[in-house]
Amino acid sequence: MQIGFAVLCAGSIREKNVKNVLLWCLLDSAGGACGFWSVGYALAYGGDDASKGKTFVGNSGFFLANPDIDLGFWFFQYTFTSTLSSIVAGAIAERTKMAAYLNYSFFLCGFVYPVCAHSFWSQNGFLSAFAQDPLWGNGVIDLAGSGPVHLCGGAAALVITIILGPRRGRFYDDDGNPLEEPRAMGPHSVTLQFLGTFALWFGWYGFNPGSTLMISSSQLGKVASLAAVNTTLGAAAGALSGMFTSTIIDERKTGVFQWDTTASMNGCLTGLVAVTAGCATIDPWAAFVIGIMAGWIYLGASALMLKCKIDDAVDAIPVHLFGGAWGVIAAGLFSNEYRMEIAAYSTENIGWFYEWGRGSGNFTLVGIQLISVLFVFGWTTVIFTPFCLALKYMDLLRVDALEEEVGMDISRHKGPAYSNESAKSEAIMELAASRRNSFDLSTSGRGSKKKMDRSVSGRGSKKTINAMDISNRMKIVPSLNPSKTQMSLNSMNNIGKDTDINSEIQAITEMTASKSNLLDTTSGSGLENA
């Protein structure tokens, strides 16, 4: 799962922040392990004893000090914890400080998530179906975490994304004026996006069938097999629903059939999130229906995020928050008596659609599921909002605007992620001059002549970019990262066109000037020491 998150997030963002998000995904596993080992597991499952009645959190097993702890169970639950943290990482990519990430990752894994997990799955949880006296005779149905993992992670992502604010240029120009249309930012690699999606789909077979915890009996084997089948159908239906629906919408708007890869991939992931709760208690046809609905929910939620100017870099909020909420509710609609009995759930109340077969419209199970959704969302937002506001107040949340413009890889990780073959500075200067001359003779089909020489606002003086100036500035850039001695020819392909290269060169130059005291050093650490 972590490989899938890392590759998907890296492909979904811009090239200049790839190293940053990959490091974050590694730290999800590292920081999550520390948080869940020291505090998280004890709060989630420490001292489980059905005879104690309902409790808010566990109270023993800190640092795994209790020798009776099932270490296999700890490891399986740890994988859920690191997954939740990665959900947030993708949403706030490209503009968040490392200090903020380390703090919120530990806080989520060590405190926020364990309370949700305890409530859903502990023998002492007030929502748990495995408690001695479960809520309203049933308790919540959520085998593998649509609620405590995905809904919790999505809610946390929503909170911190709103407080953090959008990336520069996403919804507003440099003067703060709203753009007519949101500016596209990524993906830089659809290949990585697809690889990440497939890796996550494969990893889901460990989460959903694996949540039976054992297949030592034929009955548990049937439950795990059903979970695997339903996982497959939910993902497939979500992918198809997202793709075909977005295609129909585009055709109605433009008259052209276009097949949206992002809608397909995120529809697939939303289907996986949605089917996670009821994968052991629903029939395969219901998993397919849940997946179709998940694709539609993703498209609607994604459009809502843009409408509200909430900048989610990888669409994690539509996939996990909205998909997780739908999954928990769907389990209350489609769970049938036969499947619930095999999976060891109480059958006092069953899915609402099946209650009509009993001659009643008993809404109890759906009510339990709705209460569970509200609890996870309420708990996460209430406890995580002041935490994020505190990070913002202490200036630990967002990176400097100039570093954001240059990119986290150059400004904080000692250079870009991709090392392309470089060209000599003389050749770059000659190419820039020739392209400038040819551009001056052409209107580029836009109806008006645009000159490459353009005035840009600096931090104290007006600067003009021309071919010679570009070459001179390129000679400055390697001092930020001695391992890169030239600019790639590929980076020059768009010189003189209406692209971001001039603004990026300007930003790098401004950063160089603002941190000029570092340029005389021989350590080669560049901006990392700033």
Side-chain angles (χ1 to χ4, degrees), residues 90-104:
I92 62 172
E94 301 198 290
R95 73 262 199 209
T96 309
K97 286 185 176 180
M98 182 64 71
Y101 185 76
L102 292 173
N103 278 282
Y104 91 70

Side-chain angles (χ1 to χ4, degrees), residues 416-427:
Y418 300 104
S419 177
N420 297 319
E421 185 178 353
S422 60
K424 295 181 180 179
S425 59
E426 294 82 1

Side-chain angles (χ1 to χ4, degrees), residues 49-68:
D49 186 349
S51 63
K52 293 180 180 179
K54 307 292 176 62
T55 58
F56 184 65
V57 292
N59 56 11
S60 67
F62 295 95
F63 296 94
L64 297 183
N66 187 341
D68 296 329

Side-chain angles (χ1 to χ4, degrees), residues 14-336:
R14 291 171 291 180
E15 179 179 328
K16 61 185 179 181
N17 296 298
V18 170
K19 289 172 73 173
N20 179 252
V21 78
L22 288 174
L23 178 60
W24 281 8
C25 289
L26 174 63
L27 293 178
D28 284 329
S29 298
C34 294
F36 201 60
W37 161 67
S38 58
V39 180
Y41 182 84
L43 296 179
Y45 302 104
D48 265 14
D49 186 349
S51 63
K52 293 180 180 179
K54 307 292 176 62
T55 58
F56 184 65
V57 292
N59 56 11
S60 67
F62 295 95
F63 296 94
L64 297 183
N66 187 341
D68 296 329
I69 291 175
D70 184 344
L71 297 181
F73 182 70
W74 178 92
F75 177 76
F76 184 70
Q77 292 299 322
Y78 151 68
T79 62
F80 282 73
T81 307
S82 58
T83 295
L84 174 131
S85 185
S86 294
I87 294 170
V88 183
I92 62 172
E94 301 198 290
R95 73 262 199 209
T96 309
K97 286 185 176 180
M98 182 64 71
Y101 185 76
L102 292 173
N103 278 282
Y104 91 70
S105 181
F106 188 91
F107 185 66
L108 275 178
C109 298
F111 186 59
V112 179
Y113 164 74
V115 172
C116 297
H118 182 86
S119 301
F120 272 62
W121 294 323
S122 168
Q123 296 180 46
N124 303 113
F126 82 99
L127 296 170
S128 176
F130 312 107
Q132 197 171 57
D133 181 24
L135 179 65
W136 295 347
N138 272 82
V140 63
I141 294 179
D142 191 339
L143 180 71
S146 287
V149 178
H150 298 285
L151 176 56
C152 178
L158 178 64
V159 168
I160 195 170
T161 300
I162 292 174
I163 295 173
L164 182 65
R167 289 167 287 180
R168 292 187 65 200
R170 177 65 164 145
F171 300 116
Y172 305 94
D173 61 21
D174 290 339
D175 296 324
N177 301 314
L179 301 176
E180 291 185 7
E181 293 290 337
R183 177 188 168 198
M185 292 185 172
H188 90 277
S189 174
V190 177
T191 302
L192 292 179
Q193 282 187 303
F194 268 94
L195 287 174
T197 301
F198 276 119
L200 285 170
W201 189 345
F202 181 78
W204 236 279
Y205 293 117
F207 269 23
N208 288 4
S211 290
T212 60
L213 300 181
M214 59 185 72
I215 53 173
S216 54
S217 68
S218 60
Q219 182 166 316
L220 288 173
K222 289 180 180 179
V223 175
S225 299
L226 176 66
V229 170
N230 287 339
T231 300
T232 303
L233 293 176
L240 295 174
S241 172
M243 183 184 70
F244 282 111
T245 303
S246 68
T247 297
I248 293 170
I249 293 173
D250 284 343
E251 193 277 333
R252 299 297 296 174
K253 290 180 178 179
T254 66
V256 179
F257 286 101
Q258 300 180 85
W259 310 97
D260 190 344
T261 57
T262 299
S264 304
M265 290 182 288
N266 285 337
C268 172
L269 295 176
T270 311
L272 286 165
V273 171
V275 81
T276 293
C279 61
T281 58
I282 61 175
D283 287 326
W285 69 265
F288 191 80
V289 172
I290 290 171
I292 291 175
M293 291 293 297
W296 296 340
I297 288 171
Y298 162 72
L299 293 175
S302 182
L304 179 63
M305 293 296 103
L306 293 179
K307 185 75 172 178
C308 297
K309 290 183 169 56
I310 298 173
D311 185 17
D312 181 348
V314 300
D315 262 352
I317 297 169
V319 170
H320 297 279
L321 173 59
F322 290 86
W326 163 237
V328 176
I329 295 170
L333 296 172
F334 293 99
S335 294
N336 68 67

